[in-house]
Every structure is written in C-alpha cells, then in structure tokens.
Amino acid sequence: MIIPVYRVEKHLKNCLDSIIDETLSDYEIILVDDGSPDGSGKICDEYSEKYGFVRTIHKPNGGLADARNAGLEASRGEYIVFADSDDSVGRGYISYIFDVTRQPADIFALSHFTDYTETNSRNERLIEDAANLSAAEAVRRLERAGLFNYAWNKIYSKKMLDKPPKAVYNKGSEPGEDLLFNADCFSRAKTVTLCSKPFYHWMRRGEDTLANRFRADLNERNKSFIRCRCELYRALGIYDSDFDLLSDGNLAYIFSGIPNMYRKGNRFPRKKRLDFFREVISSGDVKQWIAAAKPSGTLMKHFVRLVKLKSPRLTDAYYSVAMGLRNRLDKTWTKSRKRVGA
C-alpha cells in the first residue's frame, strides 16, 4: 500500500491505525513523506520503527503525483493499493484485499463510504460483485456508479503496471491525476473484478484541499481530462455505445471550472469569464454532449439550460450571483450540496 503524506499531522495516526493489521505480515505499507513541513514525517518514522512492514520515504516536495510515483518505484508487492493519508478504512480491510486477489485480475475496483465530517453523515457508493470483466464493461459500470476516477478504491496488478512503458502518474497533473492514471491502467487491463463490500472511508472535510483551491489553469486542465476520457472510450470501443456516459462526464468537467472562476479573492476578470462561456456555447462537441447527456443533479441541469440559452452575459450574471452567495454562505453550501446534487 502506498500512502503519500503531506501536512496531515492531525489525521495521519488515525489513518495508519485503521489500516495496520498486525495479524498479517506479508504486505508492505510505503509512506511517502513529500517534504511535509509539519510533524507528519516524524509520525511516519515512528510507525516505521514500530512495524517492520511499514517503510518511509522522505523526499522533497513534488506534489501528490510525484509522491505516488516514488511509492510505485519502491514497491515490491504483487498488487498496488493507494490510500490518502487523511482517510481511513474499516476493520479487516487488508484481509479483504488478500481474499479478493486470490482470483487474479489486472484491476480490482472496490465500493466505498463517503464520510462528510461537517454534517456527520455518510453515503455508501456501492457496485455489484462481478469477476473477470473486460475493461470496457468495467469502465461502463464504474462510470455509471461514479467510481471510475479514484485510485484509492482500486487494486492494481504490479505486473500490469510494469509492462513497458510503465504506468506512472503525470507529475503536476493535480487535481485530476487519478483520471489520467486510471485511463492508462484500464487501457492496459485485460480483466477487471468489481467488489461490492465497502471498507474505505473517503473523508470529505470542510478544510482547504487540493480539489477546492483556486487554479488559474483549471479550465485548460479540464480540456486535457476531457480529451483523455474521449481517447479512453475510443480505445475501448465504447465511444458510440456509451456516448451518454461520456457526455455526462465531460459536461461535469466543464462545469467544475465555473466555481473556480468566481472564488473570493481570485475572481476571473469579466472578459475572461465571458470568453469561457462563449467558447462553451459555440462548441460543436458541447452541443453533442448536451444532446446526449442525462444530468441528474439540479446544478448540472441549470448549467445545461443556461448553455442552451446561448447568452454568455446571462450565464455570467447568473453565476456571479449564485457563486457570490455560495462564497458568503460557504458553511450552509457545504451542508446542502448533497441535497442539490453538487
């Protein structure tokens, strides 16, 4: 198991204590201290000293993708599992990994829990058991369940990852690094097994994270993620048959760039916002995606309606008000986002 570590001093022990299974010995936990400026590196060393199967790598800060690559390079196991250092797992997680991998596959995809710490609530993200699926069928099922992008809910065959050229993370691709990595992995995979039992707890906190920080280049990055998804669907032969799935995901990426343009203190200039909406509204691809998509969330439905109105100024005015309210009422927004489909 590979766990990148950076500025998680107050969460790391809980993560490690939930994962470590002292009844088993034939596995390794690789902690990659990515130049963390707090006490996280010291905690890593403490666990390495206490447990022989825990190894720590200290390296200069290079970002999440770079840290995961360092873990991949150092790993010696038959299968690779990732975990985020502020998440946790249920009792018996390591034993479960041993159990499901007795029947080999290139990739195993697992169900999980999403824990919202601010509201003290939990959602299950489940998928039905299915063994030895083709990569195309697995992607289809995982996309419909919203479980494709993540790396921490997958088990990867080291043999598959090491086939030349080796599968690695694109350094500096955060956020979105897992999508790019999984697209590469699933294009390599011959067999994929889906597992219904959830153990992993993905913690959604009200703290500043990589996913909700301002990024001046997010819209351009989203274009690269959309291209990646299109290429994967074509490579797997499901571009036409599952165009609705592809369309839903691509529109979600476009929409994800909108809050970033209206962040308090980092608001895009109005001209730049209008240029973005003009590009979206005039895009032939976007028109095809809207025609095929089946958005379920209220926010995505509003976005589609606004694009159909073909008015960049109206769209900008709407989001200026909506995102302004969101910025002022951030705590209320966090508590309500599940209810409105955000």
Side-chain angles (χ1 to χ4, degrees):
M1 175 175 288
I2 298 169
I3 306 177
V5 175
Y6 184 74
R7 293 181 65 181
V8 286
E9 184 176 8
K10 64 181 178 179
H11 303 301
L12 183 56
K13 287 186 178 181
N14 179 64
C15 171
L16 296 178
D17 288 342
S18 74
I19 291 172
I20 287 172
D21 189 336
E22 295 183 69
T23 67
L24 301 169
S25 59
D26 192 21
Y27 74 103
E28 63 178 1
I29 296 175
I30 301 174
L31 305 177
V32 184
D33 170 25
D34 192 34
S36 189
D38 62 4
S40 298
K42 182 178 179 181
I43 294 173
C44 292
D45 289 335
E46 290 173 358
Y47 277 79
S48 292
E49 292 172 5
K50 184 175 181 180
Y51 301 102
F53 50 82
V54 177
R55 289 194 286 150
T56 295
I57 298 171
H58 296 285
K59 60 179 289 297
N61 179 253
L64 181 58
D66 190 53
R68 284 181 172 160
N69 283 339
L72 285 170
E73 185 65 28
S75 63
R76 300 174 297 207
E78 184 178 355
Y79 287 97
I80 299 295
V81 183
F82 293 102
D84 286 350
S85 51
D86 58 347
D87 292 339
S88 64
V89 301
R91 185 180 298 275
Y93 178 61
I94 299 296
S95 294
Y96 183 68
I97 291 173
F98 274 89
D99 287 341
V100 299
T101 55
R102 286 174 181 167
Q103 297 297 322
D106 291 325
I107 301 173
F108 298 82
L110 314 179
S111 301
H112 74 272
F113 296 105
T114 302
D115 290 359
Y116 295 87
T117 58
E118 283 196 334
T119 58
N120 196 30
S121 59
R122 173 178 295 167
N123 282 345
E124 289 183 332
R125 301 297 295 274
L126 305 177
I127 193 165
E128 293 183 359
D129 288 312
N132 296 317
L133 298 176
S134 67
E137 179 59 25
V139 168
R140 180 181 293 119
R141 297 190 189 192
L142 290 169
E143 284 271 76
R144 292 197 185 281
L147 295 172
F148 176 73
N149 282 14
Y150 314 119
W152 39 253
N153 71 339
K154 309 289 191 306
I155 305 170
Y156 304 90
S157 161
K158 185 72 159 55
K159 183 178 179 181
M160 177 201 69
L161 296 179
D162 285 345
K163 288 181 179 178
K166 287 185 178 182
V168 296
Y169 274 85
N170 292 347
K171 185 176 180 179
S173 58
E174 306 91 346
E177 71 285 348
D178 283 347
L179 167 65
L180 302 180
F181 183 74
N182 278 327
D184 183 13
C185 292
F186 277 82
S187 67
R188 297 162 175 259
K190 302 299 182 184
T191 57
V192 180
T193 292
L194 309 182
C195 307
S196 64
K197 193 171 182 180
F199 280 87
Y200 197 94
H201 291 258
W202 181 34
M203 310 302 290
R204 299 299 302 274
R205 309 179 193 277
E207 303 165 6
D208 183 40
T209 64
L210 189 64
N212 61 27
R213 294 174 193 165
F214 172 78
R215 298 197 70 103
D217 60 348
L218 183 58
N219 292 332
E220 291 304 313
R221 285 176 176 271
N222 284 340
K223 289 179 183 179
S224 70
F225 302 145
I226 288 170
R227 286 195 297 271
C228 174
R229 295 185 77 247
C230 290
E231 290 169 1
L232 176 64
Y233 274 58
R234 288 192 177 98
L236 297 179
I238 59 174
Y239 185 89
D240 294 322
S241 62
D242 292 276
F243 194 68
D244 60 326
L245 270 180
L246 179 68
S247 300
D248 281 333
N250 289 350
L251 290 175
Y253 269 109
I254 294 174
F255 175 76
S256 72
I258 293 176
N260 184 68
M261 296 193 298
Y262 296 87
R263 291 195 189 280
K264 187 177 180 180
N266 291 292
R267 190 180 178 94
F268 275 30
R270 184 169 183 267
K271 181 182 183 304
K272 192 171 182 179
R273 301 195 308 266
L274 290 175
D275 287 345
F276 169 79
F277 289 123
R278 288 192 187 99
E279 181 179 357
V280 170
I281 289 169
S282 64
S283 169
D285 287 335
V286 172
K287 292 175 184 176
Q288 291 183 29
W289 297 335
I290 286 178
K294 301 174 183 177
S296 56
T298 301
L299 296 180
M300 279 302 300
K301 289 179 179 178
H302 285 177
F303 170 65
V304 168
R305 292 191 188 105
L306 285 165
V307 173
K308 287 181 177 179
L309 290 175
K310 301 180 180 180
S311 173
R313 287 183 172 83
L314 176 62
T315 304
D316 178 58
Y318 173 86
Y319 283 116
S320 291
V321 173
M323 294 302 161
L325 288 172
R326 172 180 175 172
N327 291 333
R328 292 188 185 95
L329 304 172
D330 188 56
K331 289 185 178 180
T332 303
W333 174 271
T334 299
K335 293 179 180 179
S336 66
R337 62 184 172 184
K338 292 197 305 175
R339 294 197 296 272
V340 299

